[in-house]
Amino acid sequence: MRLLEYQAKQLFSEFGIKVPDGLTSKDIEQGRKDAEKLGFPFVIKSQVPVGGRGKAGAIQKCQNLDEFELKYPQILERVVKGEKARAILLEKIMDYRKELYLSLFLNRGKRCYTLISSSQGGVEIESVKNQVIREIGMGDVEREVCEEVAKEIGLGGNSITEFVDLVQKLSKLTIEKEAELVEINPVAVLDDGSLLALDGKMIIDDNSMFRHDELKKFLEISELEQKAEKSGFSLVELDGNIAVVGNGAGLVMSTLDMLSDNGGKPACFLDVGGGATTESVYEALTLISKMKKVKGILVNLYGGIVKTTTVASAFLQAYENKLIDLPVFARMLGSESEKSKEMLKGSKTKLFDSVEEAINAAVIGVSKHG
Amino acid sequence: MVNLFDILRGKEGDNDYGKKPVIVQGITGKFGSDHTRQMISYGTNIAAGVTPGKGGQKFDGVPIYNTVEEAVKATGSNISILFVPAKFFLGAAKEALNAGVKLLVAIPEHVPIRDVMTLLELAKKNDAVIIGPNTPGIIIPGIIKVGIMPASAFKAGSIAVISKSGTLMYEVSHNVSSASFGENITLGIGGDPINGTSLVEAFDMIKQDPNLQGIVVVGEIGGDAEELFAQHVIDTKFSKPIVAYIAGRAAPKEKRMGHAGAIVYGNYGSAESKVAMFTKANIPVAKRPVEIPMLLAGKLETKV
């Protein structure tokens, strides 16, 4: 789960990390009240789960009420990399003398957390040359390491103590909330040498959510994705018109690739999951039936933990209840696939021996009914 | 260095060569019981099951114990396959390692990253190997199956298949089997961000097998396991043919594609980055699973 800036900053505050004064609203009525409370000038910041807000004009300074009335609705409506604003953060403008970069992230290859810091903040870290990098085990950073890093990025005076304090609070936050990434970009060095988080990004391990009830209030997934999660399958909505259904994330991704290579446009990625039942697959078909853009369904199954007959039964039920009336192109292999073929004989599901054939038929079939 | 064949098949001359005893943790659960039957029918020597509170009972003739410790004592087994919900994973896995299990095949999906990292510290201390979590397991075709894979995809042969994904491992092995190569071992490392055994480690555990003629690596977007593997192949100057496949080329960025680990941030974890490294290591990358046997054949030919 990726937290929005204001959500990350809320957690920063709870852990004693300083952030600028700010208020979050979802509509202009609340925004006006926030503006009055905060006082001009301030920054209007769109809350979207992607980077690149500055360039997209989704962060703007605001000097007075006239500007506010003009800019607030604009920023609320602005789409950044396909994402609409979830909320608007109004935040006090800070005076500072320098911007730094700081993050802790899960290094998958090394199986440990890694601290990255730089004296150049406020730009994308990929483009920063002088990064200071330290591997830090399970996420707990020792005082000595923090001091070393502080000096390497050119801090002096009381900023060193401030930096040690900031990193230790950040590592405590990372460990307690089971984050895969916590990033502050930029960290502002104020005139008095103290440090403050001007931005915040956090990615929480979804699989740890069962022991983090306190974070559930931040959970924001589409209704479709929510239903999918409840039924134990994973769904990613895409822009095309052919729904791709299968068992196992790898197999479904592979099917998506091949469909795209052959000129097809996937409407969604749907992995029925290892615990699929006829009911849950039926639920998946219900979701697909509600996606207006879908003109055909491509099914690729390799039965293992999930039997192909489980899926075949769900399709038969869906036809019987007139839930779906779309052409279905399927390939089924693995456990009980012969029986599945028998079951689906004479139904609207066209079965193919190879994935390639099923994909070609789906691309041609769907473009015909366009 | 650990040799997976020594643990799973044993050494020639061992009394239990090819019949190594295996423990099933969670043997009476829905998946545990179903797959225990399938493993037994494949010929795996399932020697004991563990379900707390059901000690003394039997499951299809297999004795059940309350703890892994009792099961290990009674059977001498050091291999366990684990079927428990993710919430209980860490406790059950620790119990296995503390009881002397040296190879733990961890089936559950959705295990928190921190729990895997904690377990890995213990595994290091105990000299134990964790395969998974979120893995379909390991199979040495014709000898032993410790996992949930459908047996029909596999045929005894000389190609090793190492995969992040479960069903793609079946798909690819099915292709390798159909092309009459067959597999000498096939294992899933799991689709999570942190794997108990990494791609590089899995490779190191199987590469010394004298019957091995080639390797297929089935990767997917997310993380840098494939890049590290390609670099390792370059560094160790491994000379047998390797062919790769990467799933997820068409996936959007910053979206988790079913597997917890299948997510691209910027260039980190992208298919392009992986393909580039494989190319550097002279490892051809198939565009579709069905191309894999052809690429293998080509590689084996140039070898001869």
Side-chain angles (χ1 to χ4, degrees):
Chain A
M1 171 175 62
R2 176 170 170 158
L3 299 188
L4 297 167
E5 176 192 7
Y6 83 92
Q7 297 167 335
K9 282 182 168 168
Q10 207 168 307
L11 294 178
F12 289 174
S13 292
E14 280 175 35
F15 279 72
I17 295 168
K18 279 169 264 176
V19 299
D21 287 337
L23 293 164
T24 312
S25 54
K26 294 204 167 161
D27 53 55
I28 195 155
E29 285 77 32
Q30 184 58 44
R32 284 189 193 108
K33 286 179 200 157
D34 289 353
E36 201 184 316
K37 228 193 234 168
L38 202 62
F40 294 98
F42 50 71
V43 201
I44 306 177
K45 300 173 99 175
S46 171
Q47 299 296 290
V48 282
V50 287
R53 288 178 297 170
K55 274 185 210 150
I59 298 180
Q60 291 189 39
K61 281 187 183 169
C62 176
Q63 303 293 342
N64 53 48
L65 192 59
D66 285 348
E67 253 185 39
F68 177 81
E69 291 294 334
L70 185 73
K71 286 181 175 173
Y72 189 103
Q74 276 176 2
I75 294 175
L76 190 61
E77 290 306 314
R78 187 148 293 164
V79 174
V80 185
K81 291 183 186 162
E83 299 284 347
K84 274 190 175 167
R86 311 296 204 270
I88 297 289
L89 171 66
L90 304 184
E91 204 171 63
K92 271 298 190 197
I93 295 170
M94 304 302 295
D95 287 323
Y96 53 88
R97 60 173 198 235
K98 204 172 163 24
E99 291 183 338
L100 311 171
Y101 175 91
L102 176 63
S103 71
L104 296 180
F105 86 99
L106 181 76
N107 187 326
R108 292 169 53 168
K110 298 225 162 80
R111 296 196 186 101
C112 68
Y113 279 87
T114 296
L115 177 154
I116 299 182
S117 190
S118 170
S119 57
Q120 280 174 268
V123 286
E124 276 188 31
I125 189 62
E126 287 84 0
S127 59
V128 170
K129 289 268 182 290
N130 51 344
Q131 300 176 12
V132 178
I133 300 170
R134 289 285 188 285
E135 282 163 30
I136 50 167
M138 295 284 280
D140 207 356
V141 200
E142 287 161 23
R143 164 167 290 276
E144 294 72 32
V145 176
C146 303
E147 279 174 2
E148 262 174 44
V149 175
K151 285 172 191 158
E152 279 183 54
I153 60 168
L155 293 177
N158 66 329
S159 289
I160 295 181
T161 339
E162 282 271 333
F163 187 79
V164 173
D165 185 55
L166 172 64
V167 175
Q168 291 194 322
K169 282 171 176 161
L170 201 65
S171 79
K172 193 163 175 258
L173 172 68
T174 306
I175 293 168
E176 278 186 26
K177 302 300 178 193
E178 304 193 49
E180 288 176 54
L181 169 82
V182 183
E183 181 185 73
I184 308 178
N185 187 24
V187 176
V189 184
L190 305 189
D191 288 335
D192 64 359
S194 65
L195 305 179
L196 179 136
L198 282 188
D199 199 351
K201 176 176 173 183
M202 267 185 94
I203 297 171
I204 308 284
D205 175 11
D206 292 319
N207 289 340
S208 75
M209 284 299 283
F210 68 86
R211 49 193 177 208
H212 290 288
D213 285 343
E214 83 283 5
L215 297 177
K216 293 220 167 101
K217 62 178 180 229
F218 296 147
L219 209 58
E220 206 185 85
I221 49 177
S222 79
E223 202 185 326
L224 285 179
E225 286 170 346
Q226 208 170 346
K227 274 201 178 138
E229 200 182 288
K230 221 171 149 191
S231 309
F233 45 83
S234 31
L235 174 79
V236 178
E237 288 188 67
L238 303 163
D239 297 331
N241 53 13
I242 301 174
V244 182
V245 180
N247 64 323
L251 188 66
V252 186
M253 272 192 270
S254 163
T255 313
L256 213 66
D257 294 344
M258 290 188 280
L259 177 65
S260 305
D261 287 347
N262 288 17
K265 293 196 171 58
C268 70
F269 161 103
L270 200 153
D271 171 12
V272 298
T277 58
T278 298
E279 292 73 39
S280 73
V281 177
Y282 187 84
E283 181 69 23
L285 291 175
T286 311
L287 288 190
I288 290 176
S289 72
K290 285 182 186 151
M291 296 166 78
K292 294 271 181 295
K293 59 190 172 190
V294 176
K295 302 287 180 240
I297 304 176
L298 174 64
V299 180
N300 189 8
L301 293 178
Y302 206 121
I305 204 163
V306 177
K307 295 187 178 77
T308 55
T309 42
T310 303
V311 180
S313 308
F315 272 92
L316 288 178
Q317 268 183 36
Y319 290 131
E320 207 178 293
N321 300 344
K322 301 202 164 33
L323 178 71
I324 49 169
D325 191 31
L326 295 163
V328 178
F329 309 89
R331 194 247 3 202
M332 296 186 180
L333 258 182
S335 72
E336 301 191 350
S337 56
E338 289 309 314
K339 203 169 147 194
S340 300
K341 282 178 195 163
E342 204 54 47
M343 285 166 67
L344 288 168
K345 221 175 236 172
S347 79
K348 280 181 209 157
T349 297
K350 295 187 189 82
L351 279 174
F352 299 86
D353 289 332
S354 75
V355 195
E356 278 77 13
E357 290 170 89
I359 288 173
N360 286 334
V363 172
I364 294 165
V366 167
S367 69
K368 242 190 254 163
H369 298 95
Chain B
M1 196 180 289
V2 179
N3 180 329
L4 268 185
F5 292 96
D6 289 351
I7 302 179
L8 283 163
R9 185 176 58 196
K11 291 183 179 133
E12 267 179 78
D14 285 0
N15 284 334
D16 55 1
Y17 179 76
K19 290 188 178 56
K20 289 286 175 193
V22 175
I23 295 168
V24 179
Q25 288 178 258
I27 194 168
T28 52
K30 185 174 172 284
F31 288 124
S33 56
D34 199 7
H35 287 287
T36 297
R37 288 196 180 106
Q38 293 186 34
M39 284 188 282
I40 292 173
S41 80
Y42 195 75
T44 306
N45 175 14
I46 302 294
V50 176
T51 299
K54 293 198 176 165
Q57 300 179 19
K58 285 201 168 181
F59 173 84
D60 280 14
V62 177
I64 302 175
Y65 298 90
N66 286 320
T67 66
V68 185
E69 197 183 348
E70 290 169 288
V72 167
K73 261 194 195 137
T75 61
S77 171
N78 63 359
I79 306 169
S80 177
I81 178 167
L82 185 56
F83 295 93
V84 297
K87 279 185 195 184
F88 308 114
F89 170 77
L90 184 59
K94 272 184 169 172
E95 188 194 333
L97 298 199
N98 287 329
V101 166
K102 293 295 175 201
L103 175 64
L104 182 72
V105 177
I107 303 297
E109 194 181 349
H110 303 307
V111 175
I113 293 164
R114 187 155 299 274
D115 293 0
V116 179
M117 287 172 78
T118 308
L119 183 68
L120 278 170
E121 291 196 338
L122 181 64
K124 208 170 166 188
K125 231 188 289 168
N126 288 16
D127 240 343
V129 174
I130 315 286
I131 304 286
N134 196 6
T135 172
I138 319 176
I139 182 168
I140 299 178
I143 306 270
I144 188 170
K145 172 177 126 153
V146 186
I148 59 172
M149 60 290 272
S152 59
F154 307 90
K155 204 175 80 183
S158 56
I159 303 296
V161 179
I162 311 175
S163 175
K164 269 183 173 176
S165 148
T167 39
L168 257 189
M169 174 176 118
Y170 317 158
E171 177 80 37
V172 168
S173 300
H174 170 76
N175 279 303
V176 171
S177 301
S178 309
S180 79
F181 283 112
E183 307 84 39
N184 72 331
I185 192 164
T186 296
L187 69 113
I189 62 163
D192 283 353
I194 302 269
N195 308 120
T197 295
S198 70
L199 211 51
V200 167
E201 288 162 344
F203 166 78
D204 282 340
M205 287 177 202
I206 56 126
K207 69 177 179 195
Q208 60 280 65
D209 186 59
N211 296 324
L212 182 72
Q213 281 187 22
I215 298 179
V216 180
V217 172
V218 185
E220 67 186 28
I221 50 165
D224 53 5
E226 294 83 357
E227 286 87 337
L228 294 170
F229 171 81
Q231 189 59 51
H232 185 68
V233 169
I234 296 172
D235 294 343
T236 55
K237 301 190 170 67
F238 185 76
S239 61
K240 287 180 183 172
I242 305 178
V243 170
Y245 176 75
I246 301 290
R249 279 181 287 119
K253 288 193 174 185
E254 295 217 11
K255 287 272 181 194
R256 225 173 271 276
M257 304 301 285
H259 280 153
I263 184 162
V264 178
Y265 297 112
N267 192 39
Y268 185 67
S270 73
E272 294 79 22
S273 154
K274 294 172 195 304
V275 172
M277 266 311 285
F278 278 131
T279 308
K280 201 175 151 198
N282 196 21
I283 298 170
V285 183
K287 274 208 136 186
R288 298 170 300 156
V290 73
E291 289 174 8
I292 290 169
M294 286 183 268
L295 290 175
L296 261 180
K299 271 272 184 180
L300 283 164
E301 202 135 287
T302 46
K303 273 289 292 167
V304 178

